[in-house]
Amino acid sequence: MPSTLQHSSKTPISSGTPSRGRFFLELLVAFLVTKLPFVSVPFKWLESYFHELSHGLATLFTGGAVSHIQLFPNGAGLCFSQGGWSLAIGFAGYFGAALWGYLIFTFATWPKGIRFSFGLLGAGVILTTLLWARDLLTISILVSLALLFLMPLKLNLNRYLATSLRIMGLMVILNALASPTVLFGLEGQGDANMLAEQSWIPAWFWVLVWLATSAFMLFLCWRRVDRQAEKRQIK
């Protein structure tokens, strides 16, 4: 009986998932940062990187080959590839960026693995640089993104690392939510028009699917927070 009481009095290990209020605060911070001039630029690059990376991975998964990727200061990007299933490759960009944002947020709810998560993401950017970056501008942008993940490892407090990683994931999702809207009315350009040509389904349909996907990823982040809050209340 004494041992049982001693065990139950221990403070539960934090899940790393924020409270409901903190989630909305972090979402607000993420939204504001994406709107700030200059400060938002690296995070636009981040969404663009995951967008082009998703194109590249879809190419490889469907039997194609990636030549290189190219990133631009305004947040635009290109993925040069041959072969593969063009429909999956075209769809993967905006869908993949939103999915990566959700995965980053999920990584940030793993307290013991925060440093590993930052290191893994930074290593992924470095590997992409080695494999697919060819021009100096793209290399410079990717190096900046690698530092964005690796520099926070100098911090000793996991709490701040987790918060920054969650906000980063939310910013990727928010940028993925905003980016497809520029495709409305864009004739003959962009992933939506390419998919329209491949599938005979109107470009606006694909844009709506991407918007719904990004909104759903944001909802999944909220559900993760909400479920953990319910578990805390039960305890």
Side-chain angles (χ1 to χ4, degrees):
M1 184 68 177
S3 61
T4 303
L5 292 173
Q6 183 179 8
H7 175 73
S8 62
S9 64
K10 289 182 180 179
T11 302
I13 298 174
S14 172
S15 68
T17 307
S19 65
R20 294 185 181 106
R22 190 176 182 86
F23 171 79
F24 284 115
L25 178 61
E26 291 174 355
L27 182 60
L28 177 62
V29 171
F31 174 77
L32 293 176
V33 171
T34 60
K35 300 302 179 184
L36 290 175
F38 304 113
V39 177
S40 64
V41 172
F43 302 104
K44 290 181 180 178
W45 294 346
L46 196 60
E47 189 270 336
S48 180
Y49 162 70
F50 285 121
H51 180 109
E52 302 309 328
L53 176 64
S54 299
H55 279 315
L57 293 176
T59 301
L60 296 179
F61 290 155
T62 58
V66 178
S67 168
H68 61 285
I69 65 173
Q70 196 169 2
L71 302 177
F72 301 97
N74 64 354
L78 295 169
C79 178
F80 297 85
S81 60
Q82 292 181 334
W85 185 20
S86 57
L87 199 65
I89 295 168
F91 181 76
Y94 291 109
F95 172 80
L99 179 60
W100 276 106
Y102 172 68
L103 290 176
I104 291 173
F105 185 88
T106 302
F107 288 162
T109 63
W110 177 29
K112 294 183 179 179
I114 291 298
R115 292 182 176 278
F116 174 78
S117 300
F118 269 99
L120 183 64
L121 290 166
V125 177
I126 292 173
L127 181 61
T128 304
T129 306
L130 296 175
L131 293 177
W132 293 339
R134 297 290 181 269
D135 63 283
L136 184 59
L137 179 59
T138 300
I139 292 173
S140 299
I141 291 174
L142 288 175
V143 168
S144 299
L145 295 181
L147 291 175
L148 193 66
F149 286 121
L150 297 178
M151 287 297 288
L153 292 178
K154 289 182 172 291
L155 295 174
N156 292 323
L157 297 177
N158 275 11
R159 179 181 179 184
Y160 295 114
L161 289 176
T163 299
S164 61
L165 195 62
R166 286 195 302 266
I167 292 175
M168 211 175 293
L170 290 172
M171 280 192 284
V172 171
I173 297 176
L174 291 175
N175 280 326
L177 185 61
S179 296
T181 58
V182 304
L183 300 179
F184 281 119
L186 193 62
E187 297 295 333
Q189 299 181 53
D191 294 342
N193 283 290
M194 187 272 284
L195 289 175
E197 294 173 359
Q198 294 287 330
S199 65
W200 298 96
I201 299 174
W204 59 264
F205 171 83
W206 297 107
V207 175
L208 291 179
V209 170
W210 287 323
L211 292 175
T213 298
S214 298
F216 182 64
M217 295 301 168
L218 198 58
F219 171 75
L220 288 180
C221 292
W222 162 248
R223 284 300 298 149
R224 192 174 189 87
V225 170
D226 191 46
R227 286 173 182 169
Q228 187 59 37
E230 290 175 354
K231 290 180 181 178
R232 291 187 186 121
Q233 289 175 351
I234 293 174
K235 290 180 181 179

